[in-house]
Amino acid sequence: MAVVKMLALTLIGPKKEMEKVASLMVLSGGFQPLPLDILLKDKTIRSKITSTSDNPYDELLVKLASIWQAAGKQPPIPVPIQVSPRFSLEIASMQVNSAVRRLELWSSKKEELVEKLEKLEALLFLMRALKERGLNLKDLFDTKYLVPLFAKTSSENFRRLLDSSEEAPLYIESLLSRGGNTWFLGLTVPGYAEGAQKLLDSLYCKRFHMEDLQQELGENSEDSIVKRIDNLKRAINGLEKASSRLLDRNREFFVKLYSSIYTMQRVYELCRGRGELKDLYILSGWIPEDILERVRSDLEKMAPQTVMHVEEIKAMPYSGIKVPTLLKNLPLVSAFQEIVALYSLPSYGEIDPSFFVAVTFCLFFGFMFGDVGHGLMLFLIAVFLQKRKVVSRSMGIVLKSAGASSVLFGFLYGSVFGVEGIIHPLWISPMEDMGDLLAFSIGIGVSIMTLGMTLNMITQYRARDFGRLLFDGRGLAGTFLYLSLAALGYATLKGIVLPGPKWVYWVLPVLLFVVILLRDILARVVLRERSKEKEKLGLYVFEVFHNLLSFMSNTASFVRLAAFALNHVGLSLAVMMLSDMVRNLPGGWILKGTLLVVGNLLIVGLEGLIVFIQTLRLEYYEFFGKFYRGEGRAFRPVTFEGKDLLRNTRRTIK
């Protein structure tokens, strides 16, 4: 239940050990590098240190992924592996380029054959189209006063071409439409040949030049052209299978090479943040305290000449840099870190509220949505959504915890699907003990707000701000003022007669209020300290009155616990009444059953969502508002994010 202690780590050593050190830090999964520009404020020193930005393994990854693309398959998700010390950029480049050159040769040959195939198929289409019209292809080649144009384009662009050619000396006739494309023959006068070509280009038409077709035709007959087309198709198919065969024969080698290059790519990603000074490298960043000894031990074995400098963080921010936050909690509590993160991560050194949120969230939700049947439905729905991966694992645990809490409070209330009396309540009945339910909700509010102010005092103690700890409206003085007012309010509502004059019981709150107003003065006089944050007097007085009013408004806000508990019973009764009203109608039992099912689903869905939102409101405004600042930055170590890299690689290939 804490923010993990961070250390500032700086590594300095010979450049020959740089890759080994970077690989170790990546594989540790717990190193977040820092740019040297942030650490080195001295411009003279900074000018002597060089840094690099290119990652030589990026291009190799894209090239290697093209092997799978050429075979019509997806590259594997890369995984980090222990790379051999003999593995280097030169070896990786040689292995990748050797395979890729073969692919490029096959691809180039395939493109050449595809182009030739397309030309022969176009020639065959033209021959058959002219034959159907009683014409000969050689007659078309021998025209003197007309210029023939043979091309293909999409069917949509062909319709535009017809519209554009109506007012031009250009005759267009469709020969064949297939697969969304149209092959057509055009005739124009010699003076408009250049204009016709521009028109075809503007509509993305692929033109087949008559000279090329005449050369391909030669002395060949239609049957010989068909045979040539079949031979080309077989050759192209063979080239396509060659890529697959290459991949199948060497799959294990390529997968290992892919993972090795990916590992080194991540290593060099870390190396981008390094600096170089002559033959030395400098690498700095954050590391959690709990993995320091393991990293130190491995570093001594792998890079004995590299020096490690570790600095504990005693002041925040560190050298003007915000220290990242890493949270570690028990499995159940860690699920509620997501609820905390929706508000904001704790700043480094701040109290992690995840444990308190885990307890109070279940308490608030169960109090407002206490029902055995509906809680069990919510639990089962959460299990279903988590298995279908509609919600994350953490959110699934939160919803299941909320459902379990609802079941528990359902037994305490004696409520099953909103019906009380089926089971005996272990605590109170919301409909019969409204006054007690309201009193308990106010009591929970007083306890939660007192807990929030107590945590705030712990925060002030850590910051050594004893003036705020003792005299602030959210410190010791404010806590006693709040509790004394709460006690007076309780006595007044219950009609408890306090002994002695009434004014005596108002002296303590008034004195505490004066202490809060004189906070900075008392801190200077009594504790001999100056306020760390200078505030204008008028603004501070307004803040004091605001805190005093928030005592009442925040406490009253917890009345919603009782209100929603009663609201749940009311909605359930309404569903039951509606189902009873339709029972005597034709098909009444079916209608009743349908209403009961739909009504209970709506209660779990809509009311459950509203109660979830109200629970978050109590956490964020009433509880967090007393002690929590947030604004933390998540600790993001350099790790192996295979899926993200794979997505980027595919995008680059396309």
Side-chain angles (χ1 to χ4, degrees):
M1 188 186 69
V3 176
V4 176
K5 185 177 181 180
M6 285 288 163
L7 302 172
L9 176 67
T10 301
L11 301 166
I12 303 174
K15 285 196 291 185
K16 64 181 181 180
E17 293 185 348
M18 182 189 64
E19 283 191 11
K20 294 180 181 179
V21 173
S23 178
L24 170 63
M25 302 314 294
V26 171
L27 290 170
S28 72
F31 182 76
Q32 178 178 328
L34 276 172
L36 292 175
D37 292 331
I38 296 177
L39 295 175
L40 298 176
K41 305 298 182 183
D42 192 316
K43 293 183 178 179
T44 304
I45 298 177
R46 182 68 188 90
S47 63
K48 296 179 180 179
I49 297 178
T50 59
S51 59
T52 59
S53 58
D54 294 334
N55 192 327
Y57 287 96
D58 286 343
E59 183 181 357
L60 289 182
L61 272 177
V62 175
K63 283 184 176 181
L64 193 55
S66 67
I67 295 177
W68 279 270
Q69 186 197 33
K73 299 177 182 179
Q74 297 291 351
I77 295 177
V79 293
I81 62 173
Q82 191 68 45
V83 179
S84 170
R86 291 173 293 179
F87 188 82
S88 64
L89 177 62
E90 290 74 20
I91 293 176
S93 299
M94 182 184 66
Q95 293 174 336
V96 171
N97 291 330
S98 174
V100 170
R101 273 195 297 269
R102 296 170 70 180
L103 288 177
E104 289 175 347
L105 178 63
W106 293 338
S107 177
S108 175
K109 186 63 177 177
K110 178 184 172 183
E111 289 179 3
E112 180 183 338
L113 294 181
V114 167
E115 181 70 23
K116 196 167 186 178
L117 174 64
E118 190 174 20
K119 194 181 296 183
L120 284 176
E121 287 182 332
L123 176 61
L124 185 63
F125 293 154
L126 183 59
M127 289 176 63
R128 289 175 175 175
L130 292 175
K131 187 176 181 181
E132 291 175 358
R133 291 163 175 76
L135 298 175
N136 189 298
L137 187 59
K138 293 183 179 180
D139 296 335
L140 194 62
F141 294 149
D142 294 336
T143 55
K144 296 181 179 179
Y145 303 105
L146 291 175
V147 177
L149 302 170
F150 179 49
K152 78 167 184 176
T153 186
S154 66
S155 298
E156 182 179 351
N157 283 338
F158 179 72
R159 288 191 291 271
R160 295 176 181 172
L161 178 62
L162 290 176
D163 295 337
S164 302
S165 63
E166 288 181 354
E167 298 181 0
L170 177 63
Y171 171 75
I172 300 292
E173 182 175 351
S174 172
L175 300 181
L176 175 69
S177 292
R178 188 176 69 181
N181 291 319
T182 298
W183 281 259
F184 62 90
L185 180 65
L187 295 173
T188 186
V189 295
Y192 188 68
E194 186 177 349
Q197 182 59 49
K198 290 181 179 179
L199 178 61
L200 296 183
D201 291 341
S202 68
L203 293 172
Y204 305 101
C205 299
K206 180 171 183 179
R207 183 182 173 188
F208 300 95
H209 296 281
M210 289 298 171
E211 297 81 0
D212 295 339
L213 296 180
Q214 187 174 12
Q215 184 178 357
E216 290 291 343
L217 177 61
E219 299 299 327
N220 294 315
S221 63
E222 182 177 331
D223 291 337
S224 63
I225 292 176
V226 171
K227 289 180 181 179
R228 289 176 63 189
I229 289 175
D230 292 338
N231 291 335
L232 284 173
K233 287 181 177 179
R234 283 194 292 270
I236 292 171
N237 186 48
L239 289 173
E240 289 175 346
K241 290 182 178 179
S243 301
S244 297
R245 287 195 296 268
L246 175 66
L247 180 60
D248 292 338
R249 287 197 302 265
N250 304 279
R251 183 179 298 275
E252 185 177 346
F253 169 76
F254 284 137
V255 169
K256 184 178 180 181
L257 180 61
Y258 195 64
S259 295
S260 299
I261 293 176
Y262 172 64
T263 302
M264 295 308 298
Q265 192 265 357
R266 298 307 296 165
V267 167
Y268 265 83
E269 195 67 27
L270 175 59
C271 290
R272 285 186 180 186
R274 78 182 190 277
E276 294 182 2
L277 180 61
K278 294 185 178 179
D279 292 328
L280 296 177
Y281 77 89
I282 304 171
L283 186 65
S284 294
W286 305 111
I287 187 171
E289 185 183 39
D290 56 358
I291 71 168
L292 175 64
E293 290 306 317
R294 174 166 57 86
V295 170
R296 190 196 301 273
S297 176
D298 293 339
L299 192 65
E300 289 175 354
K301 298 175 183 177
M302 296 178 61
Q305 297 182 36
T306 295
V307 178
M308 174 187 290
H309 174 70
V310 180
E311 185 177 352
E312 292 190 11
I313 312 303
K314 296 181 179 179
M316 285 77 69
Y318 169 78
S319 301
I321 310 166
K322 225 173 185 181
V323 183
T325 300
L326 174 63
L327 302 180
K328 280 192 178 180
N329 289 293
L330 297 172
L332 179 61
V333 177
S334 63
F336 286 86
Q337 291 175 189
E338 191 165 321
I339 299 296
V340 176
L342 287 174
Y343 183 86
S344 179
L345 278 176
S347 299
Y348 182 76
E350 191 176 12
I351 292 175
D352 174 20
S354 299
F355 172 78
F356 303 106
V357 170
V359 175
T360 56
F361 188 94
C362 294
L363 173 66
F364 297 159
F365 193 95
F367 201 105
M368 289 187 281
F369 199 68
D371 190 287
V372 176
H374 293 148
L376 185 59
M377 287 178 63
L378 178 60
F379 184 89
L380 294 176
I381 290 173
V383 171
F384 173 77
L385 294 178
Q386 187 176 347
K387 283 188 175 181
R388 297 296 297 270
K389 297 184 179 180
V390 176
V391 297
S392 65
R393 179 180 177 275
S394 296
M395 189 55 66
I397 293 175
V398 169
L399 293 176
K400 287 188 287 187
S401 301
S405 177
S406 298
V407 172
L408 174 61
F409 272 87
F411 283 110
L412 295 176
Y413 293 159
S415 176
V416 182
F417 291 109
V419 181
E420 298 183 5
I422 296 179
I423 59 176
H424 183 73
L426 300 178
W427 180 34
I428 59 174
S429 172
M431 296 300 289
E432 297 178 5
D433 304 300
M434 295 185 187
D436 292 340
L437 192 69
L438 181 63
F440 274 110
S441 65
I442 295 295
I444 290 174
V446 173
S447 302
I448 294 299
M449 291 184 62
T450 303
L451 173 62
M453 288 187 283
T454 302
L455 294 175
N456 181 65
M457 286 188 281
I458 295 174
T459 300
Q460 300 304 334
Y461 176 79
R462 289 180 175 180
R464 294 296 186 265
D465 193 345
F466 296 105
R468 291 180 182 272
L469 189 154
L470 296 175
F471 310 127
D472 191 65
R474 296 178 183 176
L476 188 64
T479 303
F480 278 121
L481 174 60
Y482 174 66
L483 291 176
S484 62
L485 291 175
L488 286 173
Y490 177 78
T492 302
L493 291 174
K494 287 292 186 178
I496 300 174
V497 179
L498 300 174
K502 291 184 177 180
W503 62 268
V504 174
Y505 297 98
W506 290 99
V507 172
L508 178 61
V510 171
L511 288 176
L512 290 171
F513 182 71
V514 172
V515 167
I516 294 171
L517 281 175
L518 301 177
R519 180 194 68 188
D520 293 340
I521 296 175
L522 290 173
R524 286 196 298 269
V525 174
V526 178
L527 302 176
R528 307 291 184 182
E529 67 177 27
R530 293 181 176 273
S531 177
K532 294 182 179 180
E533 297 180 10
K534 294 183 179 180
E535 296 185 57
K536 293 183 179 179
L537 180 60
L539 183 62
Y540 176 66
V541 171
F542 175 79
E543 180 186 338
V544 171
F545 279 99
H546 176 267
N547 289 337
L548 187 61
L549 291 174
S550 70
F551 286 159
M552 295 182 288
S553 63
N554 293 157
T555 305
S557 185
F558 281 89
V559 173
R560 72 186 68 237
L561 293 175
F564 276 94
L566 294 172
N567 177 67
H568 178 74
V569 177
L571 283 175
S572 300
L573 288 176
V575 171
M576 297 293 293
M577 291 173 62
L578 284 173
S579 64
D580 286 336
M581 290 172 61
V582 301
R583 185 177 57 183
N584 296 323
L585 296 175
W589 287 105
I590 298 176
L591 290 174
K592 179 178 180 178
T594 303
L595 279 174
L596 286 175
V597 172
V598 174
N600 282 286
L601 287 174
L602 286 174
I603 288 174
V604 174
L606 295 180
E607 189 190 355
L609 177 61
I610 294 172
V611 169
F612 189 90
I613 294 171
Q614 294 301 323
T615 301
L616 291 181
R617 187 196 185 285
L618 291 174
E619 295 286 356
Y620 294 160
Y621 292 97
E622 275 64 43
F623 184 42
F624 282 11
K626 296 296 174 288
F627 72 98
Y628 191 63
R629 185 177 72 253
E631 301 177 358
R633 291 184 180 179
F635 176 64
R636 301 189 184 281
V638 178
T639 55
F640 294 95
E641 300 170 354
K643 292 182 179 179
D644 291 340
L645 176 85
L646 181 61
R647 191 180 304 115
N648 294 335
T649 302
R650 289 173 182 165
R651 188 182 300 117
T652 305
I653 292 172
K654 292 177 182 178

